[in-house]
Amino acid sequence: MVTLPKLNDLGFFEIRLESIGGLGANLAGKMLAEAGVVGVGLNGVSFSSYGSEKKGSAVKAHIRFCDMDTRIRDTSPVERPHVVGVFHESLSKTVNVISGIYEDSTVLVNSTKTPDELKEKMKLRGGTIAVIDAIGISLEEKNRVNMAMLGALFRLCDFLDPDVMRGVIRKSLEKKYPLAVAPALRTFDRGYNEVKFQTYALPEGETMPDFVRFDTPVLGYETQSIGGVITNPGNSILKDLSISRAGMMPHFHEDKCIHCASCDNVCPDFCFVWDELPDKKGRPQMFLQGIDYQYCKGCLKCVQACPTEALTNEREEDGYADLNRMPHRFNLAVNS
């Protein structure tokens, strides 16, 4: 009989996966639950919650495990997780990914930073911080981020059997995608072996803040604007699409650019910034100034369209987008 390491008042061990559409958190949650229920004989349930079903939108996957003698009668979202898996580090800009954690919870982050750096960035006080470069592994193995995250989760949840998960991967992929089985297994194994983690004790005299529900609406019948005006619509200039990038981004090389606008024609989010300047003969012409990375979601259509290699496909490095961003004029007006 498998013994769960921690249980809440209802007898559950709970996991929450924080992700964006396209990284496979929904499938990862289902496979994780199957490995616990079918593989090691636990009771379990898995389900997801999300808004618009598209790449880049926020997604949460919820998993509950309990002993066979405990009935699962709670299908509400996981609010107090024992383990949190953050599939994209930049999610912490817009989503409270560590909402509801205990002082001894484990937070797994897809990142290239160290546990110490993430502790400072995410303002974590105690518990275990684990790091795995899931994007880097998936790019090298030509597979999905979720397989590397699953490998790391199995290392952290030692009551689960990784051999069972390997069987689940084969079962899920071999019929429809037989060529994907070997890369998926390699990605899973690398996630399992390469995850790094550090445990921090809560500073003496400090306590965890009181739990506040992460899904409480900011606007209600007492606080909404007159007429129910939407103050931050989906097409707002304040929108930040950078969390949609999955490891790769375009780099702009001005010396190779012929200002043909092929990139601008295929860009779905108007990321390219232009200015009217005189050409060599003094005639007014539009010249490309750069990329507003706030709106770039890393689709890389511009790289494919560029005829001169003025745009190249590069692995995203922390801080590059902020340092090389060319803001649109309306952003400059808003920020000033």
Side-chain angles (χ1 to χ4, degrees):
M1 176 73 68
V2 172
T3 302
L4 291 165
K6 305 167 190 174
L7 297 174
N8 63 14
D9 293 340
L10 297 176
F12 301 138
F13 181 89
E14 299 186 324
I15 302 171
R16 187 175 73 227
L17 306 182
E18 300 274 1
S19 183
I20 57 174
L23 295 185
N26 183 25
L27 177 61
K30 292 178 180 177
M31 298 174 78
L32 188 62
E34 182 177 346
V37 173
V38 179
V40 296
L42 294 169
N43 268 349
V45 65
S46 169
F47 56 95
S48 298
S49 58
Y50 44 84
S52 55
E53 195 168 349
K54 64 179 181 180
K55 182 178 180 180
S57 59
V59 174
K60 298 179 188 291
H62 311 275
I63 303 98
R64 284 190 176 91
F65 291 122
C66 58
D67 298 330
M68 288 294 291
D69 297 332
T70 303
R71 296 182 179 182
I72 300 178
R73 296 186 179 275
D74 183 3
T75 55
S76 62
V78 170
E79 295 181 316
R80 305 298 312 275
H82 297 98
V83 176
V84 177
V86 184
F87 277 53
H88 200 303
E89 180 188 344
S90 296
L91 263 174
S92 59
K93 294 179 182 177
T94 55
V95 178
N96 185 7
V97 293
I98 60 171
S99 170
I101 62 172
Y102 301 95
E103 64 180 53
D104 58 350
S105 291
T106 297
V107 179
L108 168 68
V109 186
N110 171 17
S111 174
T112 57
K113 292 184 173 66
T114 65
D116 287 340
E117 290 172 328
L118 286 173
K119 180 177 183 292
E120 184 70 24
K121 178 180 178 180
M122 302 178 77
K123 296 180 173 58
L124 286 161
R125 299 184 181 183
T128 299
I129 303 175
V131 183
I132 184 67
D133 182 13
I135 287 178
I137 293 172
S138 65
L139 290 172
E140 291 173 12
E141 299 295 345
K142 296 180 173 56
N143 201 254
R144 302 283 301 280
V145 167
N146 58 352
M147 289 297 110
M149 290 293 290
L150 275 172
L153 285 166
F154 267 72
R155 177 75 176 276
L156 299 169
C157 300
D158 56 7
F159 60 90
L160 296 173
D161 187 347
D163 287 332
V164 171
M165 189 65 222
R166 294 182 185 100
V168 172
I169 292 173
R170 293 189 187 93
K171 175 186 171 184
S172 301
L173 299 176
E174 62 186 358
K175 287 186 179 179
K176 286 188 176 181
Y177 312 103
L179 296 180
V181 174
L185 290 173
R186 289 197 302 270
T187 305
F188 174 82
D189 287 338
R190 287 190 61 182
Y192 186 89
N193 293 318
E194 296 179 22
V195 62
K196 299 176 182 178
F197 47 91
Q198 175 94 26
T199 299
Y200 301 88
L202 194 67
E204 187 175 353
E206 286 194 21
T207 58
M208 294 291 287
D210 293 336
F211 168 67
V212 178
R213 279 191 167 84
F214 56 77
D215 57 353
T216 301
V218 176
L219 299 178
Y221 74 96
E222 291 182 334
T223 56
Q224 65 183 351
S225 54
I226 295 176
V229 174
I230 299 174
T231 57
N232 186 16
N235 61 346
S236 168
I237 61 172
L238 303 175
K239 204 70 174 176
D240 188 345
L241 300 180
S242 63
I243 62 170
S244 301
R245 292 196 292 268
M248 307 300 290
M249 67 187 303
H251 282 200
F252 175 51
H253 308 282
E254 188 176 5
D255 58 321
K256 296 182 180 179
C257 183
I258 59 175
H259 311 284
C260 65
S262 294
C263 54
D264 207 19
N265 287 335
V266 299
C267 179
D269 295 296
F270 305 104
C271 300
F272 293 93
V273 180
W274 299 80
D275 197 6
E276 187 176 71
L277 300 170
D279 63 10
K280 293 179 180 179
K281 296 183 179 181
R283 298 171 299 188
Q285 181 179 328
M286 298 303 292
F287 288 86
L288 181 60
Q289 302 300 299
I291 303 172
D292 193 338
Y293 285 109
Q294 175 178 322
Y295 305 105
C296 175
K297 59 188 178 187
C299 69
L300 304 174
K301 292 180 180 179
C302 57
V303 176
Q304 298 170 9
C306 181
T308 64
E309 296 184 348
L311 293 164
T312 56
N313 179 14
E314 307 289 345
R315 174 76 195 273
E316 183 169 4
E317 298 177 0
D318 190 38
Y320 179 90
D322 294 332
L323 185 63
N324 294 277
R325 177 189 173 203
M326 176 60 68
H328 282 86
R329 287 183 177 179
F330 50 71
N331 269 338
L332 292 173
V334 168
N335 294 331
S336 59

